[in-house]
Amino acid sequence: DGGITQSPKYLFRKEGQNVTLSCEQNLNHDAMYWYRQDPGQGLRLIYYSQIVNDFQKGDIAEGYSVSREKKESFPLTVTSAQKNPTAFYLCASKLSGRQPILFGQGTRLTVV
Amino acid sequence: DQQVKQNSPSLSVQEGRISILNCDYTNSMFDYFLWYKKYPAEGPTFLISISSIKDKNEDGRFTVFLNKSAKHLSLHIVPSQPGDSAVYFCAASARGAAGNKLTFGGGTRVLVKP
């Protein structure tokens, strides 16, 4: 089955620790994205990548880092510099052009 | 500066009736619009899209209307079913925008009562 896999579904970390969220897709999509959702709010773009070894900052990139070493993988690291890291994180991907982006199931990160 | 706004945070409708969700945008460069449905603790699923060259697009029970002059789009769900209870997001992108990235509204929570 083709799809976008995010792991783990729930993640707990202590304040001050970096944490990496995994995102893998087997859809052969070119572009990949990371969004963040906070309670009662819409989705805000953190980072995106259109091709391997290239990525761009979104609207709220501060405190986050990404890599795109393989087409199918786009991990997100939440660093200790992110002031409010507790949120629901969504990875997405799409083919090139005007296509809808498709989302993974999300990772709920809680920092205590 | 919210470029995409969903002014109704919630909507309650009786099963079998029509649900109408509204979305307004301010960026005149937006030319591709989408609606997503989201259940709690899950990723959004794509419902329907519309390009600015059209004013209506239909897919089964879902119809999206676009009024470019008013910078307004709406999603009609007919008939509404209990499984439609979810949060609905509208999203927009501009031609030529880097990465074809989407800008999302804040969402409307729909409750369909049996």
Side-chain angles (χ1 to χ4, degrees), chain A residues 4-13 19-23 34 37 85-91 103-111, chain B residues 38-45:
Chain A
I4 303 166
T5 301
Q6 291 187 240
S7 60
K9 191 164 177 66
Y10 299 95
L11 191 54
F12 295 86
R13 277 294 181 271
V19 60
T20 297
L21 282 59
S22 168
C23 179
W34 276 104
Q37 186 191 15
T86 294
F88 190 54
Y89 290 88
L90 289 156
C91 179
F103 285 89
Q105 289 300 294
T107 293
R108 165 87 51 200
L109 173 64
T110 302
V111 175
Chain B
K38 185 181 180 303
Y39 293 120
E42 293 185 11
T45 54

